[in-house]
């Protein structure tokens, strides 16, 4: 097998940590000696051993003189676990092949420098694009200390997210909805506006087996979420955070008693300041958010510049009429003020289409 093939296997291992390692990255490692794979491992859960140490612990023979393939540069600092570079040096590994360099300022090439200074051969950049893509959220979070935000919506071919009566269940098919639940497991939090809560009374949990629920965030400037809402009544089993500008503790009390968390934020133009919200969530180690709000919140999020990616599910249906569109608000004045997106990746999910695009320019920028 080649370096590329071993790295691809390490990537497959890394994916097994999806949803469990946040805000840490997903990492996989493989150890090869004399053309034979003698150890493998991945970062299984936040706070637990990293991939390199798990791979070394799994070796069925001595790793001395072997090659380690790891999807992300080994750490050289002490966090919740000791440095992985120490374990590599102690093991007698001769060569380390790396996919992504770590953007963490505490690492940032220092792991590679340390290994090389100790006589270990280091090859970097093998399947770099795939390894970088695996940890897109981590890379953003570690550099900016705010969550990576994915704005997701489902619409018909004529651009509607609901009928003229407000009904939206269901626009896409079962396979597309399953994919959404996979993302609810993958990302740290899911966010909606109070309008969505009032209209749909959503649960916003992940319905897959062996999965975790995201933190459920409601942007509720004036604290209008009903105490009977499912997000409130299930707060004891699935965490719910209400972001509000209301400072009255008496109004907070019923929600707190139900198990919700309250985050008081300044308001901006009549709504909570989304940039302040992102900073506060970053401090709480929320590295990623799936934004499943309606058109009003989507517009505010884009205007605030907090959205990094747009996921558009398109169903082969037509609603017609005056139903809601994915992005409402005032809108831009002219086409040259549009929110620009990168070239989308296109996926077929049975009868539906998923377009995924990076946000490359906001309307406020020149």
């Amino acid at each position: 097998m080649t370096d590329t093939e071993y790295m691809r296997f390490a990537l497959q291992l890394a994916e097994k940590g999806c949803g469990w390692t946040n805000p840490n990255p997903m990492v996989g490692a493989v150890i090869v000696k004399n053309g034979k794979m003698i150890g493998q491992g991945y970062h299984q859960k936040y706070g637990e051993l990293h991939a390199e140490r798990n791979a070394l612990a799994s070796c069925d023979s001595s790793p001395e003189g072997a090659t380690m393939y790891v999807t992300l540069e080994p750490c050289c600092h002490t966090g919740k676990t000791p440095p992985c570079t120490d374990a590599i040096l102690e093991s007698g590994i001769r060569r380390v092949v790396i996919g992504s360099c770590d953007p963490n300022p505490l690492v940032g090439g220092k792991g590679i420098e340390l290994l090389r200074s100790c006589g270990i051969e280091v090859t970097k950049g093998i399947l770099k694009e795939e390894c970088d893509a695996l940890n897109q959220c981590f890379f953003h979070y570690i550099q900016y200390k705010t969550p990576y935000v994915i704005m997701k919506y489902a619409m018909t071919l004529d651009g509607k997210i609901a009928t003229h009566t407000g009904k939206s269940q269901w626009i896409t098919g079962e396979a597309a909805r399953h994919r959404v639940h996979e993302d609810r497991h993958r990302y740290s939090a899911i966010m909606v506006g109070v309008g969505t809560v009032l209209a749909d009374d959503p649960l916003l949990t992940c319905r897959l087996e062996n999965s975790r629920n995201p933190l459920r965030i409601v942007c509720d400037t004036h604290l209008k979420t009903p105490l009977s809402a499912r997000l409130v009544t299930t707060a004891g089993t699935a965490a719910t955070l209400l972001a509000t500008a209301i400072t009255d503790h008496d109004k907070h009390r019923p929600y707190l008693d139900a198990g919700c968390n309250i985050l008081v934020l300044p308001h901006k133009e009549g709504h909570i300041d989304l940039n302040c919200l992102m900073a506060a969530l970053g401090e709480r180690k929320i590295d990623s958010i799936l934004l499943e709000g309606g058109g009003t919140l989507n517009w505010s999020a884009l205007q605030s510049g907090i959205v990094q990616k747009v996921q558009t599910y398109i169903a082969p249906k037509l609603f017609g009429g005056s139903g809601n569109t994915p992005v409402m608000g005032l809108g831009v004045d002219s086409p040259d003020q549009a929110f620009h997106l990168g070239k989308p990746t296109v996926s077929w999910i049975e009868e539906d289409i998923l377009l995924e695009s990076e946000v490359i320019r906001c309307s406020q920028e020149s």
Side-chain angles (χ1 to χ4, degrees), residues 89-111:
L89 293 172
E90 292 166 4
S91 71
I93 291 283
R94 177 186 61 81
R95 178 177 179 239
V96 177
V97 180
I98 295 168
S100 297
C101 291
D102 195 332
N104 187 338
L106 294 172
V107 183
K110 296 175 184 176

Side-chain angles (χ1 to χ4, degrees), residues 94-302:
R94 177 186 61 81
R95 178 177 179 239
V96 177
V97 180
I98 295 168
S100 297
C101 291
D102 195 332
N104 187 338
L106 294 172
V107 183
K110 296 175 184 176
I112 292 174
E113 290 176 10
L114 177 61
L115 294 174
R116 283 177 172 165
S117 70
C118 294
I120 292 179
E121 179 187 349
V122 177
T123 302
K124 62 181 182 178
I126 302 299
L127 291 183
K128 181 180 185 302
E129 288 188 8
E130 291 91 332
C131 291
D132 286 353
L134 181 70
N135 286 308
Q136 201 170 37
C137 296
F138 170 74
F139 286 3
H140 174 89
Y141 174 74
I142 206 69
Q143 292 179 80
Y144 300 104
K145 308 301 181 186
T146 57
Y148 186 90
V149 178
I150 304 94
M151 188 174 82
K152 166 261 167 184
Y153 54 83
M155 70 179 191
T156 60
L157 275 173
D158 56 344
K160 302 297 192 301
I161 62 171
T163 67
H164 72 94
T165 63
K167 295 181 179 179
S168 61
Q169 296 182 348
W170 296 105
I171 291 175
T172 54
E174 187 175 339
R177 298 199 299 274
H178 186 275
R179 164 62 191 266
V180 172
H181 282 282
E182 290 177 341
D183 280 346
R184 288 183 180 184
H185 169 73
R186 174 180 293 269
Y187 301 121
S188 294
I190 184 169
M191 188 165 81
V192 298
V194 68
T196 296
V197 176
L198 294 171
D200 300 335
D201 192 20
L203 194 55
L204 303 182
T205 54
C206 179
R207 271 79 125 183
L208 305 180
E209 290 186 12
N210 302 316
S211 64
R212 47 165 288 282
N213 287 318
L215 170 66
R216 303 174 300 180
I217 303 168
V218 182
C219 295
D220 187 356
T221 306
H222 305 294
L223 212 53
K224 294 181 178 179
T225 297
L227 289 170
S228 60
R230 294 197 294 171
L231 289 172
V232 176
T233 60
T234 60
T237 55
T240 301
L241 174 69
L242 302 178
T244 184
I246 296 298
T247 59
D248 187 340
H249 291 289
D250 289 337
K251 291 185 178 180
H252 295 175
R253 180 53 53 194
Y255 298 101
L256 295 172
D257 289 344
C260 297
N261 291 304
I262 300 284
L263 178 60
V264 177
L265 296 164
H267 59 81
K268 183 178 181 181
E269 298 179 358
H271 301 285
I272 60 168
D273 189 320
L274 291 177
N275 295 107
C276 289
L277 173 59
M278 293 302 107
L281 292 173
E283 291 176 357
R284 295 179 179 219
K285 297 185 177 181
I286 300 301
D287 71 333
S288 50
I289 294 174
L290 188 63
L291 176 58
E292 290 197 24
T296 300
L297 181 57
N298 286 347
W299 168 254
S300 296
L302 287 167

